[in-house]
Amino acid sequence: MEKFKEAITNYIEKDENFAVFVDGGWGTGKTHFFEHDYFLNKVGEDNDEIQEIHDKKCYKKEYISVYGKHSLKEIKEIIVTKILSYVDDDVISENLKQGISNIFKMFEVKFLNTENITASIDDYLESKARDKIKDKLNNNGGRVVFIIDDIERLNDGISLKEFLGFIRNVLLDSFNCKVIIIGNKEAITNENKNEMKNYWEKVISRNLKFPSNLEVGKKILNNDLRKSYYNENEIQDLIELIQVSPLSTSKANVLNLRTLNLVITDFKNIYDQLENCNKEQVNTRMSLFISLFILHNINRNNVIDNEEKFKDMKVPNGFTFINSKKKKPSPEEEIYQKYFQENEIAKKYAFFSRELNNYILEGVLDIEEYQKKLNDNFSEKNAEEDVLYILRNFMLYSEDKVKGKESEAIDIIKGGRYSFGYRLNIYMKLKELCLNGIVTLNEKEIDELEDYLLENYELQISDSIEGEDLLKLINFHFPQNPELIEYKNELSEKLMKQQKIYMKKQGIYQQYIEAILNEERKKRSELEMQYKEIKNVDIFTIFNSYISDIEKELLGNNAKIIYLNRYIYNRTDIFIETLDNIERFINNIKQIEAQNKDKIAKYNFDTLQGTLSNIRENTRIKLNTCGKRGKEYKISPVKISNLRNLFGAEFWSICCKNFSFVS
């Protein structure tokens, strides 16, 4: 970067009648550098030498982006106006007014001649006026330095050849300006590339490659995040993150500053919504920023171009790739190599959750759910001493170190201080290490810990991304261990069973029935959004379980009979496990109807019975169709296990009743 600054300074100070071109990829900080970092624009610079040069040379910097400009005439008007803004009244005397007037008149006629590169401004301005303006612009050896940005985004209707001619004849020759053209050479259109090839050397003396912009990134982090969000040591960790990640790519030293600024914006937005107790945790703020940085870069670089895969993405485990012999690495391995392999900060704090992944794609985040999930992954300690972190990365530590955390892990599982999700994560790692003979726990002790967890289950918001992750144990992958895969599936079924039990204990189903009978659609929708079991469980099972409550509500209240019928009639996605459930409910409704002598009530009950009869017949047809014997397929036990995990216990039980699986 210092050499690059020196090259730019040498160009400006030398009496060279050419422009220079600065080439660099999008988002690499070219604009930021020339607008904010280069010394020409820093009057109050502390460096005495730079200040002296600035005062002595009297440089004047003018920045213009050609992006969004619709015609060459518009660009010329902007540039000439900027030039004339430096000319005082004593220079524009009476005898020059006509010449100056002619400058503006020329923009109303065709300025350019396609046979030549461009007409000269001398044709419209008396030489005496031009010389005086040039003297004023170059006062004390100074220069007007034009920074012309986004050359690759020049409007398709504007000829690059004609624009270069204007730069050559007007800016360089007539007014002796300095011109720095900035762009992404790779992105220049083919037509303009041909013109560039033919006319470039007439205008450009040299091409300079924009260097590493990591220094710019460091300044942005320091200016935007230090003190208010991070202390000095933490900022250094973030700087290490942005330094290491780009270096592992073919485009070394290239940090996309637009992405970095997006990460900072998102970080502030999310962080400011967190509760104060969570803001105080180092893990929270470090994990949030680092995860956003990696996820945004993965998404914006299209490393994973499938939205569903992106939402399900987890932090890659490096141990998975140790013995990889693939010629072409998978996207997960590429992500590991780029962001984690040599980056201890990322390994320590990065945490991808489906909630946060979804935020990257859609911009919506449930703060409470995200924070809960984050707390399930970290304790309040630093990551290096966190029990879960050490158990997850056991291969990096000695046997004594891992075993030393064993008793602490057991205490956490049995204690009430930490969230259920965090305790479950620790338990799963202990189970894995136990099966591998790394910890001293035996099978009986592991089973006792499982029993303790299930007895102290906490109800999950299961229709949220994070709740589903916990119930299905999505965060745990054991591709090489069928025993652990089978155990994971079994425990997942137990967790989902506990979920239903605790939903009943805490009156969730009862609230749902009340919302139906009172036609409280908002309340019903909220419960459906929170607990997917309501939609995935046979609704008639729920109705039959709470038939006494339904009876109290329906007797003497005709409106509630209508509301119940309306709900059942409009549920096109209604799930029915067996005909027995709906038959039982029909009989229950008949018994309730028999207690009611009201004629309108009888009319309403008859309507309800008609709806139920139609559903019963449709269900009978569906179940009979599904029950027909079809083709036979051979499925391995592992695939059966995977299917059961994918679809869940409820759906799987239906499959087993209607299909015969032979391993």
Side-chain angles (χ1 to χ4, degrees), residues 339-360:
Y339 297 105
F340 295 93
Q341 188 163 284
E342 298 180 15
N343 202 327
E344 292 302 319
I345 302 302
K347 289 179 185 176
K348 191 184 298 181
Y349 292 110
F351 174 64
F352 303 163
S353 67
R354 289 180 70 188
E355 188 76 25
L356 192 62
N357 299 3
N358 192 64
Y359 173 80
I360 298 295

Side-chain angles (χ1 to χ4, degrees), residues 456-503:
N456 294 273
Y457 181 80
E458 292 175 5
L459 187 64
Q460 301 297 309
I461 306 296
S462 57
D463 206 31
S464 74
I465 292 170
E466 310 303 352
E468 186 180 21
D469 279 359
L470 184 143
L471 291 169
K472 291 187 176 180
L473 299 170
I474 297 293
N475 290 325
F476 297 95
H477 303 276
F478 311 108
Q480 308 301 325
N481 195 324
E483 186 177 0
L484 276 171
I485 292 173
E486 181 65 24
Y487 177 75
K488 170 184 167 180
N489 296 335
E490 290 173 358
L491 181 58
S492 176
E493 289 181 10
K494 292 175 183 178
L495 290 170
M496 287 188 277
K497 184 178 179 181
Q498 288 299 94
Q499 175 76 1
K500 293 174 188 174
I501 291 171
Y502 275 72
M503 282 179 67

